[in-house]
């Protein structure tokens, strides 16, 4: 991967957690990628492909490679690595948890079955919490608590200052994606397609829906609905109060990358290169288009520009209103991470071990 932008200047911007916000909407409304071309700003060759989102805070970049090693790269190019979550006997996972930055701490899910808080000032580990299994899901932070699920299907709430467990919730499945939040309810998608709603304060919860197919994409939510997608190409909109499925759409190919959600549209990309803008309220298809190659990783929106990465190594920028292609960029090799946007820059990793 490379860092590309519609213009040369990079402004301060934030993408501090997996889905940009607690709804996992993958929308940065203040970013600007509206130009008519993209130019590479810098490339960092890591060797092992990045498997997580690229997180950006104060122009400093964080990501985790497929061995579970987390990198921090400052604007001057100074690079630090954190191995608290790395696994020793790596079998090169394709999917690793995005780090989360909050205040002066970096929070890491570990492929070695840990959650770690690292003080960014000293580089020291403040605390480590051991989980039942490997953590592939990005941790999310809300107030004084951190929420994360593990491979054994257990979701944890951990007190952020101390690292002590507040509660745990068992899904009986495998949890590999970030939770999202509506009010005080966490929405968790287990890989087997069961969707759970869990009270963030108490940890009491229940299954609220069952998807046809496995779930590889994170749930996304606005203030009233949660949207979930599956490898069977199913997209569902669910309300919580009362709990009901409001609409269902079906595509011909798996949806593996997390969609992006704005007030006007839910934008979905499929493994056969279909892109659709769905009306969040009715589910009707506002527009559709296709791209060469498949979409395997998460989409992003910057203001009114939809950004899509393909397994043929292309990044495409579309106008969200009229689906017109604004620009494209050829990274040369498959995009390995979800896309993230901060300021006037787009961040991603590729299969050749670049970011």
């Amino acid at each position: 991967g490379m860092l590309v932008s519609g213009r040369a200047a990079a402004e301060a911007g934030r993408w501090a957690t997996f889905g940009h916000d607690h709804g996992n909407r993958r929308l940065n409304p203040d970013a600007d990628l509206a130009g008519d071309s993209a130019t590479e700003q810098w490339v960092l060759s890591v060797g092992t492909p990045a498997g997580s989102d690229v997180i950006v805070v104060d122009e400093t970049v964080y990501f985790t490679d497929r061995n579970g090693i987390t990198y921090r790269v400052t604007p001057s190019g100074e690079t630090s690595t954190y191995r608290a979550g790395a696994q020793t006997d790596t079998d090169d996972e394709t999917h690793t948890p995005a780090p989360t930055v909050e205040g002066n701490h970096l929070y890491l899910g570990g492929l070695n079955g840990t959650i770690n808080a690292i003080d960014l000032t000293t580089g020291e580990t403040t605390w480590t919490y051991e989980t039942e299994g490997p953590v592939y899901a990005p941790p999310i932070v809300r107030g004084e608590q951190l929420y994360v699920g593990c491979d054994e299907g257990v979701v944890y709430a951990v007190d952020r200052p101390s690292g002590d467990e507040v509660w745990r919730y068992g899904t009986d499945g495998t949890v590999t994606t970030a939770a999202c939040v509506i009010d005080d309810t966490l929405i968790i998608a287990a890989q087997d397609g069961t969707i759970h709603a869990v009270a963030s304060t108490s940890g009491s919860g229940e299954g609220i829906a069952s998807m046809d197919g496995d779930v590889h994409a994170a749930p996304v939510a606005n203030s009233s609905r949660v949207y979930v997608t599956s490898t069977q190409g199913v997209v569902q909109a669910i309300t919580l109060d009362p709990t009901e499925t409001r609409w269902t759409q079906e595509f011909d190919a798996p949806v593996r990358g997390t969609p992006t959600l704005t007030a006007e549209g839910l934008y979905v990309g499929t493994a056969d290169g279909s892109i659709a803008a769905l009306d969040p309220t009715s589910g009707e298809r506002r527009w559709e288009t296709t791209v060469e190659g498949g979409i395997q990783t998460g989409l992003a929106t910057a203001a009114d520009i939809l950004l899509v990465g393909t397994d043929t190594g292309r990044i495409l920028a579309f106008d969200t209103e009229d689906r017109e292609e604004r620009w494209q960029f050829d990274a040369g090799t498959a995009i390995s991470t979800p896309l993230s946007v901060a300021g006037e820059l787009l961040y991603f990793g590729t299969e050749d071990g670049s970011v």
Side-chain angles (χ1 to χ4, degrees):
M2 290 134 206
L3 196 83
V4 294
S5 99
R7 281 187 223 126
E11 291 178 356
R14 281 172 70 83
W15 191 289
T17 190
F18 165 80
H20 186 273
D21 54 52
H22 287 138
N24 287 341
R25 291 181 302 166
R26 310 197 59 77
L27 160 69
N28 189 338
D30 303 317
D32 178 11
L33 289 181
D36 54 9
S37 65
T39 50
E40 190 177 302
Q41 299 293 309
W42 54 252
V43 183
L44 177 72
S45 288
V46 182
T48 305
S52 79
D53 282 65
V54 181
I55 299 302
V56 189
V57 176
D58 298 331
E59 294 183 54
T60 295
V61 170
Y62 305 82
F63 60 90
T64 302
D65 75 8
R66 288 182 179 171
N67 297 327
I69 299 167
T70 300
Y71 291 75
R72 176 185 190 227
V73 187
T74 67
S76 64
E78 186 187 334
T79 303
S80 320
T81 56
Y82 305 94
R83 295 174 180 267
Q87 55 183 5
T88 44
D89 53 333
T90 174
D91 42 11
D92 206 28
E93 302 291 348
T94 56
H95 168 81
T96 52
T100 290
V101 177
E102 187 72 35
N104 69 330
H105 271 80
L106 175 66
Y107 297 96
L108 306 176
L111 302 184
N112 56 0
T114 60
I115 306 164
N116 304 277
I118 293 164
D119 185 315
L120 287 169
T121 312
T122 63
E124 300 294 311
T125 301
T126 304
W127 51 257
T128 295
Y129 174 88
E130 292 190 4
T131 55
E132 308 282 309
V135 177
Y136 300 109
I140 63 164
V141 167
R142 202 169 185 226
E144 292 295 280
Q145 290 188 5
L146 177 147
Y147 306 100
V148 70
C150 78
D151 198 44
E152 295 297 307
V154 183
V155 177
Y156 305 90
V158 178
D159 180 66
R160 209 155 56 89
S162 66
D164 294 338
E165 181 182 305
V166 181
W167 53 255
R168 62 172 63 192
Y169 173 85
T171 65
D172 297 331
T174 294
V175 177
T176 59
T177 64
C180 69
V181 183
I182 295 183
D183 296 329
D184 290 321
T185 303
L186 289 183
I187 308 296
I188 292 135
Q191 198 171 306
D192 65 5
T194 315
I195 313 301
H196 299 261
V198 182
S200 62
T201 46
S202 66
S204 63
E206 60 182 1
I208 58 166
S210 192
M211 296 290 285
D212 190 14
D214 286 355
V215 174
H216 291 192
V220 299
N222 54 26
S223 58
S224 59
R225 294 179 183 209
V226 58
Y227 303 90
V228 284
T229 60
S230 84
T231 56
Q232 291 289 325
V234 177
V235 182
Q236 275 187 20
I238 302 165
T239 49
L240 292 188
D241 194 12
T243 300
E244 70 180 300
T245 297
R246 302 309 292 255
W247 55 257
T248 302
Q249 270 283 9
E250 293 188 27
F251 293 89
D252 295 336
V255 178
R256 294 197 184 98
T258 301
T260 177
L261 177 64
T262 70
E264 291 79 37
L266 176 72
Y267 301 92
V268 177
T270 71
D272 69 356
S274 295
I275 302 167
L278 305 180
D279 182 295
T281 308
S282 67
E284 76 180 86
R285 301 187 190 206
R286 292 205 356 250
W287 56 255
E288 275 184 277
T289 188
T290 55
V291 296
E292 189 184 319
I295 299 159
Q296 313 289 352
T297 62
L299 289 65
T301 317
D304 55 357
I305 301 293
L306 171 66
L307 299 147
V308 178
T310 71
D311 55 17
T312 56
R314 288 240 265 285
I315 304 279
L316 300 106
F318 296 94
D319 188 302
T320 55
E321 281 306 300
D322 61 14
R323 77 172 175 207
E324 187 180 325
E325 188 182 304
R326 291 292 189 88
W327 52 259
Q328 61 172 277
F329 179 86
D330 187 357
T333 178
I335 310 303
S336 66
T337 69
L339 306 182
S340 41
V341 187
E344 295 187 348
L345 294 180
L346 166 68
Y347 299 80
F348 60 92
T350 57
E351 285 292 342
D352 66 358
S354 307
V355 167

